[in-house]
Amino acid sequence: MGPKLYTELASWFHLLSDPWDYAEEAEFAGKTLIEASRIPIREVLELGSGGGNNASHLKLRFEMTLVDLAPAMLELSRTINPECRHISGDMRSVRLGRQFDAVFVHDAVTYLTERDGLLECIRTAFEHCKPGGVALFLPDFIRETFQSCVHHGGHDGAGRALRYFEWTYDPDPADTIYAVDFVYLLREGDAPVRVEHDCHICGLFSRGEWLELFDQAGFTARVVSDPFGREIFVAAKP
Ligand SMILES: C[S@@+](CC[C@H](N)C(=O)[O-])C[C@H]1O[C@@H](n2cnc3c(N)ncnc32)[C@H](O)[C@@H]1O
């Protein structure tokens, strides 16, 4: 079923993660794609597009096609990105039968917990990228940069409000997964605040493993430090 945040609680997603908060990150992603590509970038495929937060900014520069596994998240993204093409699919196996100038994979890649699944996703990006184009992958963490942490936040909306507490930790450093436990406080109208717990299981791979998988898929990839302290991957298709 996956996290409640992408299924039964999807309509709350923009109160946890506000599209406006993505402006700087999307600006960085757009600039990085353009600088790394050997062809002009017009059409971009996003794998795991979620609530369409990044896309709501990237669409000002590029024509965006958005793929996500969760129907409720596609529905939510359509509300802020009605002009984008939305497609239901798994980033490991979706095949659209055409290529794009660039492929963008943001934090959704974090949900791939097995090495084989990550390779399948990288292969999906390769298949859908034109020669000379580029794929950008932004995992939240790689093995070398992982840190336990806590965050909190939330927003007020029309007649409803959400606040959350987020705890990221790695129960077993010997395997390829870590956990992100969320507690959501949901307030609707005058009703008492409702509390929901949601556990997100995420994948953790080393820099070397990532680069090896890009190589296996046919990309020429390099690591770049982004302005938010993450190590991300810029993968060029020869
Ligand atoms: C944090 S949200 C992405 C938010 C996105 N970065 C944005 O700008 O709104 C993570 C998304 O990954 C999607 N996802 C997880 N596993 C997936 C898979 N195998 N294929 C496609 N989408 C997947 C979930 O359905 C969810 O919508």
Side-chain angles (χ1 to χ4, degrees), residues 12 156 159-163 185-189 191-194:
W12 293 88
D156 296 338
R160 49 187 0 207
L162 172 149
R163 296 293 182 272
L185 295 160
L186 310 174
R187 193 160 63 77
E188 256 180 304
V193 167
R194 181 156 66 99

Side-chain angles (χ1 to χ4, degrees), residues 6 13 22 46 48-55 67-70 73 89-92 106-108 111-112:
Y6 309 134
F13 180 78
Y22 285 62
E46 181 172 356
S49 49
N53 292 359
N54 275 300
V67 170
D68 200 278
L69 194 55
M73 294 301 279
D90 189 315
M91 61 171 86
R92 293 166 292 190
H106 188 236
D107 49 3
Y111 290 95
L112 301 181

Side-chain angles (χ1 to χ4, degrees), residues 144-224:
E144 291 85 346
T145 61
F146 180 82
Q147 279 187 323
S148 293
C149 52
V150 291
H151 293 289
H152 62 87
H155 298 276
D156 296 338
R160 49 187 0 207
L162 172 149
R163 296 293 182 272
Y164 70 89
F165 179 82
E166 176 186 0
W167 181 16
T168 299
Y169 59 98
D170 187 356
D172 179 4
D175 65 19
T176 62
I177 59 176
Y178 67 98
V180 186
D181 270 88
F182 280 92
V183 175
Y184 314 121
L185 295 160
L186 310 174
R187 193 160 63 77
E188 256 180 304
D190 295 333
V193 167
R194 181 156 66 99
V195 182
E196 292 278 354
H197 169 242
D198 199 14
C199 183
H200 297 224
I201 301 298
C202 302
L204 202 52
F205 302 94
S206 70
R207 192 182 296 121
E209 284 176 293
W210 273 92
L211 291 172
E212 201 179 304
L213 296 180
F214 282 117
D215 192 50
Q216 268 184 49
F219 278 118
T220 305
R222 62 193 163 91
V223 182
V224 170

